[in-house]
Amino acid sequence: RAVRDADWKLIVFPRAKRFRVYHLAEDPLEVNDLFETPKGIKQARRLFALLLEQQSKLEDPLDLRPRFPKLADPDA
């Protein structure tokens, strides 16, 4: 599953329990995964909340929160 806004994109891989975050304004080809950077994690958390919102609207039954506690809980 994935979500993006104008400048950022988050891709989550539920089975692998991995995620990727890209700053599309600076990296349109999605070469540099920023998941280990403070800025990347901050944006990933914001986008994850947006993804959960979209899942709810679309009635997607997969609960991603247990698979991605680092994104679901800012204190994780």
Coordinates of all heavy atoms in Angstrom, one line a residue:
R1 N 0.8 -1.2 0.0 CA 0.0 0.0 0.0 C 0.9 1.2 0.0 O 2.0 1.2 0.5 CB -0.9 0.0 1.2 CG -2.0 -1.1 1.1 CD -2.7 -1.3 2.3 NE -3.9 -2.1 2.2 CZ -3.9 -3.5 2.0 NH1 -2.8 -4.1 1.9 NH2 -5.0 -4.1 2.0
A2 N 0.4 2.3 -0.5 CA 1.1 3.5 -0.6 C 0.2 4.8 -0.5 O -1.0 4.7 -0.8 CB 1.9 3.6 -1.9
V3 N 0.8 5.9 -0.1 CA 0.1 7.1 -0.1 C 1.2 8.2 -0.4 O 2.3 8.1 -0.1 CB -0.5 7.3 1.3 CG1 0.5 7.5 2.4 CG2 -1.5 8.5 1.3
R4 N 0.7 9.3 -1.0 CA 1.6 10.4 -1.3 C 0.8 11.7 -1.2 O -0.4 11.8 -1.2 CB 2.2 10.3 -2.6 CG 1.3 10.3 -3.8 CD 2.0 10.4 -5.1 NE 2.4 11.8 -5.3 CZ 3.0 12.2 -6.4 NH1 3.2 11.4 -7.4 NH2 3.4 13.4 -6.5
D5 N 1.6 12.8 -1.0 CA 1.1 14.1 -1.1 C 1.9 14.8 -2.2 O 2.6 14.1 -2.9 CB 1.1 14.9 0.2 CG 2.4 15.2 0.8 OD1 3.5 15.0 0.1 OD2 2.5 15.6 1.9
A6 N 1.9 16.0 -2.3 CA 2.6 16.7 -3.4 C 4.1 16.4 -3.4 O 4.7 16.2 -4.4 CB 2.4 18.2 -3.3
D7 N 4.7 16.3 -2.2 CA 6.2 16.2 -2.1 C 6.7 14.9 -1.5 O 7.9 14.6 -1.7 CB 6.8 17.4 -1.3 CG 6.6 18.7 -1.9 OD1 6.5 18.8 -3.2 OD2 6.6 19.7 -1.2
W8 N 5.9 14.1 -0.9 CA 6.3 12.9 -0.1 C 5.5 11.7 -0.5 O 4.3 11.8 -0.9 CB 6.2 13.2 1.4 CG 7.2 14.2 1.9 CD1 7.0 15.5 1.9 CD2 8.5 13.9 2.3 NE1 8.2 16.1 2.4 CE2 9.1 15.1 2.7 CE3 9.3 12.7 2.5 CZ2 10.4 15.2 3.2 CZ3 10.6 12.9 3.0 CH2 11.1 14.1 3.3
K9 N 6.2 10.6 -0.4 CA 5.5 9.3 -0.7 C 5.9 8.2 0.3 O 7.1 8.1 0.6 CB 5.9 8.8 -2.1 CG 5.2 7.5 -2.5 CD 5.5 7.1 -3.9 CE 4.8 5.9 -4.4 NZ 5.2 5.6 -5.8
L10 N 4.9 7.5 0.8 CA 5.2 6.4 1.8 C 4.7 5.1 1.1 O 3.5 5.1 0.6 CB 4.4 6.7 3.1 CG 4.5 5.5 4.1 CD1 5.9 5.3 4.6 CD2 3.4 5.7 5.2
I11 N 5.5 4.1 1.1 CA 5.1 2.8 0.6 C 5.3 1.8 1.8 O 6.4 1.8 2.4 CB 6.0 2.3 -0.6 CG1 6.0 3.4 -1.7 CG2 5.5 1.0 -1.1 CD1 7.0 3.1 -2.7
V12 N 4.3 1.1 2.1 CA 4.4 0.1 3.1 C 4.2 -1.3 2.5 O 3.4 -1.5 1.6 CB 3.4 0.3 4.3 CG1 3.6 1.6 5.0 CG2 1.9 0.2 3.8
F13 N 5.0 -2.2 3.0 CA 5.0 -3.6 2.6 C 4.5 -4.5 3.8 O 5.4 -4.9 4.6 CB 6.3 -4.1 2.0 CG 6.8 -3.2 0.9 CD1 7.7 -2.1 1.1 CD2 6.5 -3.5 -0.4 CE1 8.1 -1.3 0.1 CE2 7.0 -2.8 -1.5 CZ 7.8 -1.7 -1.2
P14 N 3.2 -4.7 3.9 CA 2.7 -5.4 5.1 C 3.4 -6.7 5.4 O 3.7 -7.0 6.6 CB 1.2 -5.5 4.9 CG 0.9 -4.4 3.9 CD 2.2 -4.3 3.0
R15 N 3.5 -7.6 4.5 CA 4.0 -8.9 4.7 C 5.5 -8.9 5.2 O 5.9 -9.6 6.0 CB 3.9 -9.8 3.5 CG 2.5 -10.2 3.3 CD 2.4 -11.2 2.2 NE 1.0 -11.6 1.9 CZ 0.6 -12.4 1.0 NH1 1.4 -12.9 0.1 NH2 -0.7 -12.7 0.9
A16 N 6.2 -8.0 4.5 CA 7.7 -7.9 4.9 C 7.9 -7.0 6.1 O 9.0 -6.9 6.6 CB 8.4 -7.3 3.7
K17 N 6.8 -6.3 6.5 CA 6.9 -5.3 7.7 C 8.0 -4.3 7.4 O 8.8 -4.0 8.3 CB 7.2 -6.1 9.0 CG 6.0 -7.0 9.4 CD 6.2 -7.6 10.7 CE 5.1 -8.5 11.0 NZ 5.3 -9.2 12.3
R18 N 8.0 -3.8 6.2 CA 9.0 -2.8 5.8 C 8.3 -1.6 5.2 O 7.1 -1.7 4.7 CB 10.0 -3.3 4.7 CG 10.6 -4.6 5.1 CD 11.9 -4.6 5.7 NE 12.8 -3.7 4.9 CZ 13.9 -3.2 5.4 NH1 14.3 -3.4 6.6 NH2 14.7 -2.5 4.6
F19 N 8.9 -0.4 5.3 CA 8.3 0.7 4.6 C 9.4 1.6 4.0 O 10.6 1.4 4.3 CB 7.5 1.6 5.6 CG 8.3 2.2 6.7 CD1 8.8 3.5 6.5 CD2 8.6 1.6 7.9 CE1 9.6 4.1 7.5 CE2 9.3 2.2 8.9 CZ 9.8 3.5 8.7
R20 N 9.1 2.4 3.1 CA 10.0 3.3 2.4 C 9.3 4.7 2.3 O 8.1 4.8 2.2 CB 10.2 2.8 0.9 CG 10.7 1.4 0.8 CD 12.2 1.4 1.1 NE 12.8 0.1 0.8 CZ 13.0 -0.8 1.8 NH1 12.7 -0.5 3.0 NH2 13.6 -2.0 1.5
V21 N 10.2 5.7 2.4 CA 9.7 7.1 2.3 C 10.6 7.8 1.4 O 11.8 7.7 1.5 CB 9.5 7.7 3.7 CG1 10.8 7.8 4.5 CG2 8.8 9.0 3.6
Y22 N 10.0 8.6 0.5 CA 10.7 9.3 -0.5 C 10.3 10.8 -0.5 O 9.1 11.1 -0.4 CB 10.6 8.7 -1.9 CG 11.0 7.3 -2.0 CD1 10.1 6.3 -1.9 CD2 12.4 7.0 -2.1 CE1 10.5 5.0 -2.0 CE2 12.8 5.7 -2.2 CZ 11.9 4.7 -2.2 OH 12.3 3.4 -2.2
H23 N 11.2 11.7 -0.7 CA 10.9 13.1 -0.9 C 10.9 13.3 -2.4 O 11.9 13.5 -3.0 CB 11.9 14.0 -0.2 CG 11.6 15.4 -0.2 ND1 12.5 16.4 -0.1 CD2 10.4 16.0 -0.2 CE1 11.9 17.6 -0.1 NE2 10.6 17.4 -0.2
L24 N 9.7 13.3 -2.9 CA 9.5 13.3 -4.4 C 10.0 14.6 -5.0 O 10.4 14.6 -6.2 CB 8.1 13.0 -4.8 CG 7.6 11.7 -4.3 CD1 6.1 11.6 -4.6 CD2 8.3 10.6 -5.0
A25 N 9.9 15.7 -4.3 CA 10.3 17.0 -4.8 C 11.9 17.0 -5.1 O 12.3 17.6 -6.1 CB 10.0 18.1 -3.9
E26 N 12.6 16.3 -4.3 CA 14.1 16.2 -4.4 C 14.5 14.9 -5.1 O 15.6 14.9 -5.6 CB 14.8 16.4 -3.1 CG 14.5 17.7 -2.4 CD 15.2 17.8 -1.0 OE1 15.8 16.9 -0.6 OE2 15.0 18.8 -0.4
D27 N 13.7 13.9 -5.1 CA 14.0 12.6 -5.6 C 12.9 12.0 -6.3 O 12.3 11.0 -5.9 CB 14.4 11.7 -4.4 CG 14.9 10.3 -4.7 OD1 15.2 10.1 -5.9 OD2 14.8 9.4 -3.8
P28 N 12.5 12.5 -7.5 CA 11.4 12.0 -8.2 C 11.5 10.6 -8.7 O 10.5 9.9 -9.0 CB 11.2 13.0 -9.4 CG 12.6 13.6 -9.5 CD 13.2 13.6 -8.2
L29 N 12.7 10.1 -8.8 CA 12.9 8.7 -9.3 C 12.9 7.7 -8.1 O 13.1 6.5 -8.3 CB 14.2 8.6 -10.1 CG 14.2 9.4 -11.3 CD1 15.6 9.3 -12.0 CD2 13.1 9.1 -12.3
E30 N 12.7 8.2 -6.9 CA 12.6 7.3 -5.7 C 13.8 6.4 -5.5 O 13.7 5.2 -5.4 CB 11.3 6.5 -5.7 CG 10.0 7.3 -5.8 CD 8.8 6.5 -5.9 OE1 8.8 5.3 -5.7 OE2 7.7 7.1 -6.2
V31 N 15.0 7.1 -5.5 CA 16.2 6.4 -5.4 C 16.7 6.4 -3.9 O 17.2 5.4 -3.5 CB 17.3 7.1 -6.3 CG1 18.7 6.4 -6.1 CG2 16.9 7.0 -7.7
N32 N 16.5 7.5 -3.2 CA 17.0 7.6 -1.8 C 15.9 7.4 -0.8 O 15.1 8.4 -0.5 CB 17.6 9.0 -1.7 CG 18.8 9.2 -2.6 OD1 19.7 8.3 -2.6 ND2 18.8 10.2 -3.4
D33 N 15.8 6.3 -0.2 CA 14.8 6.0 0.8 C 15.3 6.7 2.1 O 16.4 6.5 2.6 CB 14.8 4.5 1.1 CG 13.8 4.1 2.1 OD1 13.1 4.9 2.6 OD2 13.9 2.9 2.5
L34 N 14.4 7.5 2.6 CA 14.8 8.4 3.8 C 14.3 7.8 5.1 O 14.2 8.5 6.1 CB 14.2 9.8 3.6 CG 14.8 10.5 2.3 CD1 14.0 11.8 2.1 CD2 16.2 10.7 2.5
F35 N 13.9 6.5 5.2 CA 13.3 6.0 6.4 C 14.2 6.0 7.6 O 13.7 6.0 8.7 CB 12.8 4.5 6.1 CG 13.8 3.5 6.3 CD1 13.9 2.8 7.5 CD2 14.7 3.1 5.3 CE1 14.9 1.8 7.6 CE2 15.6 2.1 5.4 CZ 15.7 1.4 6.6
E36 N 15.5 6.1 7.5 CA 16.4 6.1 8.6 C 16.7 7.6 9.1 O 17.5 7.7 10.0 CB 17.6 5.3 8.4 CG 17.4 3.9 8.3 CD 18.7 3.1 8.2 OE1 19.7 3.6 8.6 OE2 18.6 1.9 7.8
T37 N 16.2 8.6 8.4 CA 16.5 9.9 8.7 C 15.4 10.5 9.6 O 14.3 10.1 9.5 CB 16.7 10.8 7.5 OG1 15.4 11.0 6.9 CG2 17.7 10.2 6.5
P38 N 15.8 11.4 10.5 CA 14.7 12.1 11.3 C 13.6 12.7 10.5 O 12.4 12.6 10.8 CB 15.5 13.1 12.1 CG 16.9 12.6 12.2 CD 17.1 11.9 10.9
K39 N 14.0 13.4 9.4 CA 13.0 14.0 8.6 C 12.1 13.0 7.9 O 10.9 13.2 7.8 CB 13.7 14.9 7.5 CG 12.8 15.8 6.7 CD 13.6 16.7 5.8 CE 12.7 17.6 5.1 NZ 13.5 18.6 4.2
G40 N 12.7 11.9 7.4 CA 12.0 10.8 6.8 C 11.0 10.2 7.7 O 9.9 9.9 7.3
I41 N 11.4 9.9 8.9 CA 10.5 9.3 9.9 C 9.4 10.2 10.2 O 8.2 9.8 10.3 CB 11.3 8.9 11.2 CG1 12.2 7.7 10.9 CG2 10.4 8.6 12.4 CD1 11.4 6.4 10.7
K42 N 9.7 11.5 10.4 CA 8.6 12.5 10.7 C 7.6 12.5 9.6 O 6.4 12.4 9.8 CB 9.2 13.9 10.9 CG 8.2 14.9 11.2 CD 8.9 16.3 11.3 CE 7.8 17.4 11.5 NZ 8.4 18.7 11.6
Q43 N 8.0 12.5 8.3 CA 7.1 12.5 7.2 C 6.4 11.1 7.1 O 5.2 11.1 6.7 CB 7.8 12.8 5.9 CG 8.3 14.2 5.9 CD 7.2 15.3 6.0 OE1 6.1 15.1 5.4 NE2 7.5 16.4 6.7
A44 N 7.1 10.1 7.4 CA 6.5 8.7 7.3 C 5.3 8.6 8.3 O 4.3 8.1 8.0 CB 7.5 7.6 7.5
R45 N 5.5 9.1 9.5 CA 4.4 9.1 10.5 C 3.2 9.9 10.0 O 2.1 9.5 10.2 CB 5.0 9.6 11.8 CG 5.9 8.6 12.5 CD 6.2 9.1 13.9 NE 7.1 8.1 14.6 CZ 8.2 8.3 15.1 NH1 8.7 9.6 15.1 NH2 8.9 7.4 15.7
R46 N 3.5 11.1 9.5 CA 2.4 11.9 9.0 C 1.6 11.2 7.9 O 0.4 11.1 7.8 CB 3.0 13.2 8.5 CG 1.9 14.2 8.0 CD 2.6 15.5 7.5 NE 3.4 15.3 6.3 CZ 3.0 15.1 5.1 NH1 1.7 15.2 4.8 NH2 3.8 15.0 4.1
L47 N 2.4 10.6 6.9 CA 1.8 10.0 5.8 C 1.1 8.7 6.2 O 0.1 8.3 5.6 CB 2.8 9.7 4.7 CG 3.3 10.9 4.0 CD1 4.5 10.6 3.1 CD2 2.2 11.5 3.1
F48 N 1.6 8.0 7.2 CA 1.0 6.8 7.7 C -0.4 7.1 8.3 O -1.4 6.4 8.0 CB 1.9 6.1 8.8 CG 1.4 4.7 9.2 CD1 1.6 3.7 8.3 CD2 0.8 4.5 10.4 CE1 1.2 2.4 8.7 CE2 0.4 3.3 10.8 CZ 0.6 2.2 9.9
A49 N -0.5 8.2 9.0 CA -1.8 8.6 9.5 C -2.8 8.9 8.3 O -4.0 8.5 8.4 CB -1.7 9.9 10.4
L50 N -2.3 9.5 7.3 CA -3.1 9.7 6.1 C -3.5 8.4 5.4 O -4.6 8.2 5.0 CB -2.3 10.6 5.1 CG -3.0 11.0 3.8 CD1 -4.3 11.8 4.1 CD2 -2.0 11.7 2.9
L51 N -2.6 7.5 5.4 CA -2.9 6.1 4.8 C -4.0 5.4 5.6 O -4.9 4.9 5.1 CB -1.6 5.3 4.8 CG -1.8 3.9 4.3 CD1 -2.3 3.8 2.8 CD2 -0.4 3.1 4.3
L52 N -3.9 5.5 7.0 CA -4.9 4.9 7.8 C -6.3 5.5 7.5 O -7.3 4.8 7.5 CB -4.5 5.0 9.3 CG -3.3 4.2 9.7 CD1 -3.0 4.5 11.2 CD2 -3.4 2.7 9.4
E53 N -6.3 6.8 7.4 CA -7.5 7.6 7.0 C -8.1 7.0 5.7 O -9.3 6.8 5.6 CB -7.2 9.0 6.9 CG -7.9 10.0 7.8 CD -7.4 11.4 7.5 OE1 -7.9 12.0 6.5 OE2 -6.7 11.9 8.3
Q54 N -7.3 6.9 4.7 CA -7.7 6.4 3.4 C -8.2 5.0 3.5 O -9.2 4.6 2.9 CB -6.6 6.5 2.4 CG -6.3 7.9 1.9 CD -5.3 8.0 0.8 OE1 -4.6 7.0 0.5 NE2 -5.1 9.1 0.3
Q55 N -7.6 4.2 4.3 CA -8.0 2.8 4.5 C -9.4 2.8 5.1 O -10.3 2.0 4.7 CB -7.1 2.0 5.4 CG -5.8 1.6 4.7 CD -5.1 0.6 5.7 OE1 -4.5 1.1 6.7 NE2 -5.1 -0.6 5.4
S56 N -9.6 3.6 6.0 CA -11.0 3.7 6.7 C -12.0 4.1 5.7 O -13.1 3.5 5.6 CB -10.9 4.7 7.9 OG -12.2 4.8 8.4
K57 N -11.7 5.1 4.9 CA -12.7 5.6 3.9 C -13.0 4.5 2.9 O -14.1 4.4 2.4 CB -12.2 6.9 3.2 CG -12.2 8.1 4.1 CD -11.6 9.3 3.3 CE -11.5 10.5 4.2 NZ -10.9 11.6 3.5
L58 N -12.0 3.8 2.5 CA -12.2 2.8 1.5 C -12.6 1.4 2.0 O -12.7 0.4 1.3 CB -10.9 2.6 0.7 CG -10.4 3.9 -0.1 CD1 -9.0 3.7 -0.7 CD2 -11.4 4.2 -1.2
E59 N -12.8 1.3 3.3 CA -13.1 0.1 4.0 C -12.1 -1.0 3.8 O -12.5 -2.2 3.6 CB -14.5 -0.3 3.6 CG -15.6 0.7 4.0 CD -17.0 0.3 3.6 OE1 -17.2 -0.8 3.1 OE2 -17.9 1.2 3.8
D60 N -10.9 -0.7 3.8 CA -9.8 -1.6 3.7 C -9.6 -2.3 5.1 O -9.3 -1.7 6.1 CB -8.5 -0.9 3.3 CG -7.3 -1.8 3.2 OD1 -7.4 -3.0 3.5 OD2 -6.2 -1.3 2.7
P61 N -9.8 -3.6 5.2 CA -9.8 -4.3 6.4 C -8.4 -4.6 7.1 O -8.4 -4.9 8.2 CB -10.5 -5.6 6.1 CG -10.2 -5.9 4.7 CD -10.1 -4.5 4.0
L62 N -7.4 -4.4 6.3 CA -6.1 -4.7 6.9 C -5.6 -3.6 7.9 O -5.4 -2.5 7.5 CB -5.0 -4.8 5.7 CG -3.6 -5.1 6.2 CD1 -3.6 -6.5 6.9 CD2 -2.7 -5.1 5.0
D63 N -5.4 -4.1 9.1 CA -4.9 -3.1 10.1 C -3.4 -3.1 10.1 O -2.7 -4.0 10.5 CB -5.4 -3.6 11.5 CG -5.1 -2.6 12.6 OD1 -4.5 -1.5 12.3 OD2 -5.4 -2.9 13.8
L64 N -2.9 -2.0 9.6 CA -1.4 -1.8 9.5 C -0.7 -1.4 10.8 O 0.5 -1.6 10.9 CB -1.1 -0.8 8.4 CG -1.5 -1.2 7.0 CD1 -1.4 0.1 6.1 CD2 -0.7 -2.3 6.5
R65 N -1.4 -0.9 11.7 CA -0.8 -0.4 13.0 C 0.0 -1.5 13.7 O 1.2 -1.1 14.1 CB -1.9 0.2 13.9 CG -2.4 1.5 13.3 CD -3.6 1.9 14.1 NE -4.7 0.9 13.9 CZ -5.9 1.1 14.1 NH1 -6.3 2.2 14.6 NH2 -6.8 0.1 13.9
P66 N -0.4 -2.7 13.9 CA 0.5 -3.7 14.6 C 1.7 -4.0 13.8 O 2.8 -4.3 14.4 CB -0.4 -4.9 14.7 CG -1.8 -4.5 14.5 CD -1.7 -3.3 13.6
R67 N 1.7 -3.9 12.5 CA 2.8 -4.3 11.7 C 3.9 -3.1 11.6 O 5.0 -3.3 11.3 CB 2.4 -4.6 10.2 CG 1.6 -5.9 10.2 CD 1.2 -6.2 8.7 NE 0.7 -7.5 8.6 CZ -0.6 -7.8 8.6 NH1 -1.5 -6.9 8.8 NH2 -1.0 -9.0 8.4
F68 N 3.4 -1.9 11.9 CA 4.3 -0.7 11.8 C 4.2 0.1 13.1 O 3.8 1.3 13.0 CB 3.9 0.1 10.6 CG 4.1 -0.7 9.3 CD1 3.0 -1.3 8.7 CD2 5.4 -0.8 8.7 CE1 3.2 -2.0 7.5 CE2 5.6 -1.5 7.6 CZ 4.5 -2.1 7.0
P69 N 4.5 -0.4 14.2 CA 4.4 0.4 15.5 C 5.3 1.6 15.5 O 4.9 2.6 16.1 CB 4.8 -0.6 16.6 CG 5.7 -1.6 15.9 CD 5.1 -1.7 14.5
K70 N 6.4 1.6 14.8 CA 7.3 2.8 14.7 C 6.6 4.0 14.0 O 6.8 5.1 14.3 CB 8.5 2.4 13.9 CG 9.6 3.5 13.9 CD 10.8 3.0 13.3 CE 12.0 4.0 13.4 NZ 13.2 3.5 12.8
L71 N 5.6 3.6 13.1 CA 4.9 4.7 12.4 C 3.6 5.0 13.1 O 3.2 6.2 13.1 CB 4.6 4.3 11.0 CG 5.7 4.0 10.1 CD1 5.3 3.6 8.7 CD2 6.6 5.2 10.0
A72 N 3.0 4.0 13.7 CA 1.7 4.2 14.4 C 1.8 5.0 15.7 O 0.9 5.7 16.1 CB 1.0 2.9 14.6
D73 N 2.9 4.8 16.4 CA 3.1 5.3 17.7 C 4.4 6.2 17.7 O 5.5 5.7 17.6 CB 3.2 4.2 18.8 CG 3.5 4.7 20.2 OD1 3.4 6.0 20.4 OD2 3.7 3.9 21.1
P74 N 4.2 7.5 17.9 CA 5.4 8.4 17.9 C 6.4 8.1 19.0 O 7.6 8.4 18.8 CB 4.8 9.8 18.1 CG 3.4 9.7 17.8 CD 3.0 8.2 18.0
D75 N 6.0 7.4 20.0 CA 6.9 7.1 21.1 C 7.6 5.7 20.9 O 8.4 5.3 21.7 CB 6.2 7.1 22.4 CG 5.7 8.5 22.7 OD1 6.3 9.5 22.4 OD2 4.5 8.6 23.3
A76 N 7.3 5.0 19.9 CA 7.9 3.7 19.6 C 9.3 3.7 19.2 O 9.7 4.7 18.6 CB 7.0 2.9 18.6

